[in-house]
Amino acid sequence: MREEAVEAALGKLDLDAKAKLLGGQDMWSLPALPEIGLRSLVMSDGPVGVRGVRWTADDPSIALPSPTALAATWDPELARRAGRLLAQEARRKDVHVLLAPTVNLHRSPLGGRHFECYSEDPYLTGEIGSGYVNGVQDGGVGTTVKHFVANDAETDRFTVDNIITSRPLRELYLAPFEAIVKNAHPWGIMAAYNQVNGVTMTEHRYLQNEVLRGEWGFDGYIVSDWMAARSTTGDIEGGLDVAMPGPTTVYGDALAGAVRAGKVDEAVVDDAVRNVLRLAARVGILEGAPPVVTELPETVDGQALAREVARRAFVLVRNEVRNENRVLPIDPAQTRKLALIGAAARDARVLGGGSATVFPERVVAPLDGLAAALPDATLTYAVGAYPSDELSPADKGFALHAVCRDAAGAVIGRRSLPGGQVQWIGDDLPDGVTYGKLHSVEVKGTFTPRESGEHAFGTRGLGAFTLTVAGEVLYEGVQAMSDASDPFEAFFGAPAERGRVHLTAGEPVEVSLVHPVGATDDAPLPAVMFSFLHGAPQRDADALIAEAVEAARDADTAVVVVATTESVESEGFDRTDLSLPGRQDDLVRAVAAANPNTVVIVNSGSPVEMPWREDVAAVLLSWFPGQEGGAALADVLLGVAEPGGRLPTTWPVALADVPVSEVVPTDGELHYREGLFVGYRAWDKAGVAPAYAFGHGLGYTTWEYESLEVTPATAKVRVRNTGSRAGREVVQVYLAPLADCVERPVRWLAGFACVEAGAGEWAEAEIALSARAFEIWDERSNSWSFVPGAYEVRTGRSIADTRLTATLDLQG
């Protein structure tokens, strides 16, 4: 009945209406077509929450842990529950399609957006991505799996041509998309900015039409990444259904004109419209078409699930014995004093930057979580070291709103601001405001400093600014466009300090930043984007470390939180190194020297170097842990819950050891010369030991692997909890050919399962081994080919910790 309704609606549309439907009407939506009973289709970022169509904290969103954290749970069913929560959030915000998940691979640890991707391994990525997609679509909301394909780095992402031979393209980079199409039937795919082998992805007829639709049977819609569509005929003939954002796109009038000029067959347009109408029918906005979901899942407690995902994602990579016991978990009954150290302990980074940003109603930092969990202990806090001396958007202590005025100075609109950033794109303007009327925007309010001293203030953006703090004009001038090579910096301007004011802790002052708005008539997408920046007083770095050392020396346990910043990990650029910013490494070394019970929490979305890792008692990776991260951290540190995570990507000792690190194109091309050997596959080939191997993660109990039984289709593993408390184990299965007749990795992940058991109890995991695990892409026949021979099936706690093996001898 749904397909009949789609065909009936399509038959009622003329060419102009069809072409109009395929282009965005604004930043986030497609136009309504009342003549066929079609409502406007609304899309929204992002992977960790549903922002909605406006960049505002007025309508807060649940903020889950980063996708790397979700992958670290190794639990597709938990990913499905997270997806159901996001569908619930989407329905609350009248959003029909979520622009997620991101399933590009961690090809190089320098990839700046890897916090938004899952893993270096295509199988794990496909399994977690399938769970996420199934969960969102369980709730009647569409997904858009992205970025198809090979958008594995940010440098020159609009123009880079990624050169990949067909075998690694199939076995690695396309594999997660194929698995998700097969296992979860997503309703959407997003085409990436980049080229693959000389063809822009939005125009890639072979990959979009022949592979995605033809071979895999995908029947959803393909939407461009924002501003990625560049050719009317190339895009529509290459399989792109929707060009976003609007109102100016390569479709609409341009597409209708191309059909009338004989450059495009109208039947091709019909195919694209059919895909969009099918999506509309599935989400329930096409009259006469029953939605896919008529009975919604049970309501999810967002705060509780965010906390559960965070603690299940934390990866304990080191936990040494001190005084005959492991340092973690901390026994509250034996803890008189606990020293919490690090700027990120007070102001945790809970999510990554860029389009994944959402605005949660609350954020529980480590200091908040531990203070609540240890009411009877003495908890001391020291900054220790600043991760960065750069100014950042106004946040803690600021209460800001934006006031919009017309040319006569009359107020025409207001809006509250999250973090001092004005990011109004397209129609996302305060109520009553239009670009035609808008003459200036003033960010104003109060700032109540937490520390006395000299506070720095600044701006980011292009054009004129007047910055006033406590009645003093700190800056009045114009920021011109720079010649920066990065298009974001060239367009939005670099952060700039404009002045300093001595302020007293706890005493509020008035602040104001006035910005006249320039003409937007010629802009492809009108926008108002600028930021009010702030920097807290910077105390002497050595004095901060000395203060932290004193706190640590007097404590039973010292917990140091180290972190990356938005200038290190964010959308739009790649990393140049894996070092922690600022003096954080020096801080950890000094604290560890003062207190043997030093625990380090690493608050980053992807790998960082930890040169002190063998000097400390314990290391816990918290990723970007979402809004409940501090509460989850308290649960794990104090033993209320065990850290459930396993590494979804290899953590190196140093960047110099990393086998694949190149992210910068040469003459516009980035050659994937490593072929099949990325992630742990590359580490095995190089023969270099990382700091922590793929799949590694410790818990609070111990496990014995008792038996392994294998068939060509399954591996049955029995494990026993030999510790003193209940626990959860991620049973991993790898294949290793014993005498390979083709070039392949030494071993690869073939399956996994999560099991639970009480102290002394056993559990059994039956893990499916797919036929694909024994196949390669044959570049001569352009097809999948089974590779016969003897395979060692290995099961254990990580790729480097094999507990049992068995042999399969498979004949063709």
Side-chain angles (χ1 to χ4, degrees):
M1 183 174 177
R2 194 176 302 115
E3 286 299 312
E4 288 85 344
V6 166
E7 292 301 324
L10 176 62
K12 297 175 183 177
L13 297 177
D14 62 20
L15 175 60
D16 291 313
K18 295 174 190 175
K20 176 183 177 183
L21 180 60
L22 302 182
Q25 68 174 350
D26 53 28
M27 186 66 179
W28 301 113
S29 68
L30 298 182
L33 297 177
E35 63 268 32
I36 58 169
L38 175 67
R39 304 203 307 274
S40 176
L41 182 91
V42 179
M43 298 167 257
S44 172
D45 285 320
V48 302
V50 184
R51 188 170 60 242
V53 300
R54 295 197 162 191
W55 189 276
T56 175
D58 290 341
D59 183 15
S61 310
I62 293 290
L64 292 172
S66 63
T68 43
L70 187 61
T73 70
W74 286 60
D75 190 341
E77 187 55 37
L78 184 60
R80 188 166 195 159
R81 290 170 55 204
R84 288 178 174 173
L85 169 62
L86 295 176
Q88 177 179 298
E89 286 280 279
R91 293 192 307 272
R92 180 175 66 83
K93 295 188 175 219
D94 295 322
V95 167
H96 306 113
V97 177
L98 193 58
L99 300 172
T102 305
V103 300
N104 301 112
L105 296 187
H106 296 178
R107 174 178 169 267
S108 161
L110 294 178
R113 201 176 179 181
H114 281 350
F115 61 86
E116 196 177 318
C117 310
Y118 291 130
S119 170
E120 68 188 23
D121 182 75
Y123 179 77
L124 178 60
T125 297
E127 290 295 296
I128 299 298
S130 293
Y132 181 103
V133 167
N134 276 321
V136 175
Q137 293 181 176
D138 284 347
V141 174
T143 55
T144 307
V145 188
K146 62 186 186 183
H147 306 87
F148 191 73
V149 62
N151 183 184
D152 308 304
E154 295 292 279
T155 303
D156 296 343
R157 62 177 173 161
F158 293 92
T159 57
V160 63
D161 185 5
N162 293 323
I163 309 300
I164 317 170
T165 58
S166 62
R167 190 174 165 203
L169 181 61
R170 290 282 187 157
E171 294 185 24
L172 298 177
Y173 303 101
L174 286 171
F177 291 93
E178 182 182 10
I180 293 169
V181 169
K182 174 184 176 182
N183 297 328
H185 308 290
W187 300 346
I189 296 282
M190 181 184 289
Y193 292 118
N194 54 278
Q195 301 175 60
V196 171
N197 298 330
V199 182
T200 301
M201 273 311 306
T202 57
E203 305 171 35
H204 214 303
R205 185 184 308 190
Y206 171 68
L207 289 177
Q208 295 188 144
N209 284 344
E210 296 182 33
V211 176
L212 178 59
R213 294 198 188 282
E215 292 181 27
W216 301 350
F218 173 70
D219 67 352
Y221 88 129
I222 301 176
V223 61
S224 71
D225 204 340
W226 267 227
M227 308 297 290
R230 301 157 216 182
S231 166
T232 299
T233 57
D235 285 326
I236 195 70
E237 292 180 349
L240 184 75
D241 298 318
V242 173
M244 289 296 290
T248 302
T249 78
V250 297
Y251 286 169
D253 292 342
L255 180 56
V259 172
R260 292 188 174 104
K263 297 178 180 178
V264 173
D265 189 330
E266 188 169 354
V268 177
V269 177
D270 287 348
D271 286 341
V273 173
R274 187 175 287 112
N275 293 329
V276 174
L277 292 175
R278 184 179 296 117
L279 173 64
R282 284 169 166 164
V283 300
I285 61 170
L286 178 64
E287 190 176 296
V292 171
V293 176
T294 55
E295 186 173 340
L296 295 174
E298 292 183 4
T299 300
V300 181
D301 182 328
Q303 289 185 3
L305 184 58
R307 185 170 180 168
E308 179 183 353
V309 173
R311 63 193 185 200
R312 289 276 307 283
F314 292 159
V315 181
L316 182 62
V317 295
R318 179 178 174 85
N319 191 19
E320 295 301 288
V321 174
R322 297 286 190 270
N323 299 321
E324 300 182 351
N325 291 303
R326 299 284 177 186
V327 172
L328 292 181
I330 297 167
D331 184 352
Q334 302 297 319
T335 302
R336 297 175 301 100
K337 293 184 179 181
L338 188 146
L340 183 60
I341 298 164
R346 182 177 62 179
D347 300 322
R349 189 173 180 203
V350 300
L351 44 79
S355 60
T357 301
V358 295
F359 307 107
E361 186 173 23
R362 73 172 200 165
V363 170
V364 182
L367 182 57
D368 304 322
L370 283 167
L374 291 170
D376 299 325
T378 299
L379 178 64
T380 61
Y381 171 72
V383 172
Y386 298 112
S388 172
D389 58 3
E390 297 178 357
L391 273 63
S392 58
D395 186 10
K396 302 295 183 182
F398 286 87
L400 302 173
H401 61 280
V403 179
C404 301
R405 294 183 173 89
D406 62 17
V411 175
I412 57 175
R414 299 175 184 269
R415 180 181 288 181
S416 66
L417 284 183
Q421 299 181 85
V422 175
Q423 298 201 47
W424 303 336
I425 305 174
D427 291 340
D428 179 15
L429 292 171
D431 292 341
V433 178
T434 65
Y435 288 104
K437 293 180 182 179
L438 184 60
H439 182 263
S440 70
V441 178
E442 180 183 13
V443 175
K444 65 181 302 185
T446 61
F447 171 51
T448 305
R450 296 186 297 188
E451 298 132 331
S452 297
E454 195 173 54
H455 290 253
F457 296 87
T459 63
R460 182 175 188 179
L462 303 179
F465 293 97
T466 302
L467 174 61
T468 306
V469 177
E472 177 185 353
V473 177
L474 298 186
Y475 175 77
E476 189 168 15
V478 177
Q479 177 66 53
M481 182 177 290
S482 74
D483 57 358
S485 58
D486 180 83
F488 286 93
E489 184 173 321
F491 187 72
F492 300 125
E497 182 178 320
R498 303 301 189 184
R500 297 183 173 226
V501 180
H502 191 281
L503 301 175
T504 302
E507 295 185 6
V509 295
E510 293 187 355
V511 296
S512 167
L513 177 63
V514 178
H515 173 56
V517 177
T520 59
D521 297 341
D522 297 332
L525 188 65
V528 180
M529 302 186 73
F530 67 97
S531 299
F532 182 6
L533 307 180
H534 168 256
Q538 297 282 305
R539 294 172 53 199
D540 178 75
D542 290 333
L544 285 175
I545 292 176
E547 182 181 276
V549 166
E550 285 306 306
R553 185 175 288 122
D554 194 38
D556 299 305
T557 303
V559 177
V560 184
V561 184
V562 296
T564 60
T565 67
E566 283 209 28
S567 63
V568 174
E569 286 186 276
S570 193
E571 180 178 353
F573 57 87
D574 290 311
R575 300 157 77 183
T576 57
D577 60 50
L578 300 180
S579 301
L580 286 168
R583 296 279 303 279
Q584 294 182 100
D585 286 335
D586 294 339
L587 170 66
V588 174
R589 291 189 185 99
V591 170
N595 190 324
N597 294 331
T598 294
V599 178
V600 181
I601 313 302
V602 182
N603 182 194
S604 71
S606 48
V608 296
E609 293 176 356
M610 297 180 288
W612 34 259
R613 70 191 187 284
E614 294 184 356
D615 301 329
V616 302
V619 179
L620 182 70
L621 311 181
S622 71
W623 314 104
F624 296 146
Q627 68 176 60
E628 304 299 316
L633 182 63
D635 290 340
V636 167
L637 289 180
L638 302 178
V640 175
E642 70 171 347
R646 305 293 185 266
L647 287 181
T649 199
T650 306
W651 279 52
V653 174
L655 177 60
D657 299 331
V658 174
V660 180
S661 60
E662 185 182 20
V663 293
V664 178
T666 300
D667 297 327
E669 295 182 346
L670 184 60
H671 290 258
Y672 286 37
R673 293 184 178 89
E674 68 282 352
L676 300 170
F677 300 96
V678 299
Y680 61 80
R681 296 164 167 83
W683 286 92
D684 277 344
K685 184 178 182 181
V688 178
Y692 301 109
F694 177 82
H696 174 65
L698 307 173
Y700 289 158
T701 188
T702 55
W703 295 89
E704 179 182 347
Y705 280 59
E706 294 187 334
S707 65
L708 168 63
E709 300 174 17
V710 298
T711 72
T714 61
K716 188 180 294 185
V717 185
R718 179 166 165 155
V719 297
R720 184 175 298 277
N721 181 346
T722 55
S724 59
R725 58 178 286 164
R728 185 182 188 90
E729 176 71 332
V730 178
V731 179
Q732 303 166 38
V733 174
Y734 298 87
L735 295 181
L738 292 177
D740 221 345
C741 58
V742 296
E743 183 183 42
R744 281 191 292 184
V746 172
R747 51 194 169 171
W748 56 89
L749 181 67
F752 61 89
C754 300
V755 297
E756 296 180 359
E761 297 178 350
W762 62 270
E764 191 169 76
E766 187 163 344
I767 299 168
L769 304 178
S770 72
R772 181 60 57 80
F774 301 95
E775 296 176 339
I776 66 166
W777 181 258
D778 189 327
E779 293 179 331
R780 292 170 299 177
S781 65
N782 207 35
S783 63
W784 290 101
S785 175
F786 168 71
V787 182
Y791 291 83
E792 186 174 71
V793 181
R794 303 174 178 177
T795 186
R797 308 201 72 243
S798 78
I799 196 168
D801 185 0
T802 299
R803 299 297 179 91
L804 296 172
T805 64
T807 301
L808 276 177
D809 195 353
L810 302 179
Q811 301 305 314

